Amino acid sequence: MTVAGPLAHAGHGAAGPSWFPLFPVALLAVCYVLAAVRDPRGWDHRRTAAWLVGCALLAVAVGPLAQLPDNPSGHMAQHLLLGMLAPLGLVLAAPVTLLLRIAPPPMRRLVGRPLRARPLHLLAHPFTAALLTTGGLALVLLTPLYAVAERHPVLHHAVHLHYLAAGYLFAWSLAGPDPAPHRPGLAVRVGALLAASAGHAVLAKYLYAQAETLPPGLTDREPEAFRSAAQLMYYGGDLAELLLAVALFATWYHRRIGSRRDAPTTVTGRAPSTPDLGTGTEARPGRTRSGRLP
């Protein structure tokens, strides 16, 4: 299910160390903290901590790990952070909810419009997101894309960006506390997590067994190094998937208990309908409206 993969670092030695990717990460961290401080109702510090942890993992991935000599295991560790662990921290920080709480009504409507768009509903379906993560990884490892990206830095960074975006989308579709209209029920999300986890495990085992020929197109092949990377992919992915499962059930439980405790009822016993967050007003009953973690 991971979007991690041992993508080689193109131009590693020729271009020299580059710490430029750390600046966007630092900017993300600072902007979130400033937004949290502006929340008039008080933002949960645990969500701020989750965001900062996610940013710290991103910083490690694009900073120190990116400067290591070419080593499949090092690259695998980098992409486990980029594609699985960092996105989970960022998702649990509920950045969209924070933005909706501090933004003026026109901005809330602007943010809410894409949240209600049909293309996003399809893209954010758990099985679609699982296909993007696992399928993207398989595309890199099972085709010459790995070798091509090794020689082209722009493609290399584009694949990294895809890993991060797909990992965020998958974590959000499963366990995100942010608004997600038409999010499927728990059974569908658990099924998507199990399917993606199985696909990730099979891919890791296949890479281990075929390390002499995978990824295709390489001129300098190190089978033992790729076997070590496949092992890290397998066991590191298990840890990340376990954390995602914990977040999934915690978010589901929090919403279930919160809807029973907080949702007002009419004389018929039904909760009245109110506009969604994207309209610039309060959320529907049962949705998370505070900045509190599960």
Side-chain angles (χ1 to χ4, degrees), residues 117-208:
R118 289 185 179 274
L120 182 62
H121 299 168
L122 175 62
L123 191 65
H125 191 281
F127 278 97
T128 306
L131 181 62
L132 288 173
T133 58
T134 309
L137 175 60
L139 184 66
V140 170
L141 294 179
L142 303 182
T143 72
L145 181 60
Y146 178 101
V148 175
E150 193 178 46
R151 300 187 296 269
H152 296 84
V154 174
L155 180 58
H156 159 67
H157 293 302
V159 173
H160 273 199
L161 185 60
H162 166 77
Y163 285 169
L164 178 61
Y168 186 96
L169 183 66
F170 187 60
W172 174 56
S173 70
L174 293 185
D178 276 331
H182 304 291
R183 175 178 277 152
L186 180 65
V188 173
R189 286 181 280 159
V190 170
L193 176 59
L194 291 176
S197 301
H200 171 259
V202 169
L203 189 58
K205 291 181 177 180
Y206 188 68
L207 177 63
Y208 183 89

Side-chain angles (χ1 to χ4, degrees), residues 191-243:
L193 176 59
L194 291 176
S197 301
H200 171 259
V202 169
L203 189 58
K205 291 181 177 180
Y206 188 68
L207 177 63
Y208 183 89
Q210 302 295 327
E212 290 85 359
T213 58
L214 291 179
L218 290 179
T219 55
D220 247 352
R221 192 173 299 280
E222 301 176 75
E224 287 306 318
F226 275 101
R227 287 193 182 95
S228 298
Q231 287 180 318
L232 180 60
M233 174 182 170
Y234 183 84
Y235 294 110
D238 281 351
L239 174 61
E241 288 150 7
L242 177 61
L243 293 175

